[in-house]
Amino acid sequence: MGKTTASLALGLALAACSVHAEISHSNVTLGQLAQSVKPKDVTIYTMLNCGYCQQAKRWLTANRFAFTECDISARVSCEREFNALHGDGVPLLVVKRGGKQYIMDEGFDAAEFLSFVAAAP
């Protein structure tokens, strides 16, 4: 594992632990939160050979969050959606919860993701 990849993995782990503590404080477990998320709630725009995309998908999967992947390098419809969101890079996540939409357009951040998902009704 490269130094940058290891640093990113450590950062994601620490952020998840920090937010996990906040979630636990509110009597909602990470598992319960993950169960409340449906595939249509989270769309992750990716492309082939994107290491950060793979890391984000691994984190979501390992923590049992449902999501829909939209590969902009393989599907024209995904590319159109990505462009309509003014996407600048991948991974780009769109989280829809409680009638609100949140766009994570600066890459995946576990703490940011969990904060938004936990705050939405």
Side-chain angles (χ1 to χ4, degrees), residues 2-121:
K3 188 175 183 178
T4 302
T5 304
S7 295
L8 178 63
L10 178 61
L12 287 174
L14 291 173
C17 288
S18 169
V19 174
H20 181 66
E22 292 173 25
I23 290 169
S24 295
H25 210 268
S26 68
N27 295 324
V28 175
T29 68
L30 187 61
Q32 289 170 324
L33 189 59
Q35 286 179 349
S36 74
V37 175
K38 308 299 179 224
K40 64 178 177 52
D41 295 341
V42 178
T43 302
I44 181 170
Y45 293 87
T46 64
M47 61 188 308
L48 190 62
N49 299 322
C50 169
Y52 293 118
C53 300
Q54 296 302 320
Q55 287 178 338
K57 292 188 306 181
R58 275 195 302 272
W59 187 92
L60 291 166
T61 301
N63 289 288
R64 301 183 187 272
F65 282 92
F67 63 91
T68 300
E69 180 177 7
C70 207
D71 184 336
I72 66 172
S73 61
R75 292 179 39 209
V76 174
S77 61
C78 292
E79 184 179 8
R80 280 191 205 115
E81 291 171 22
F82 178 81
N83 290 334
L85 293 166
H86 305 286
D88 193 25
V90 292
L92 182 144
L93 280 82
V94 177
V95 182
K96 297 177 183 176
R97 300 271 292 172
K100 296 181 181 178
Q101 176 174 289
Y102 183 73
I103 300 172
M104 295 179 66
D105 58 357
E106 294 183 15
F108 179 74
D109 179 283
E112 184 180 4
F113 173 81
L114 289 172
S115 293
F116 182 75
V117 172

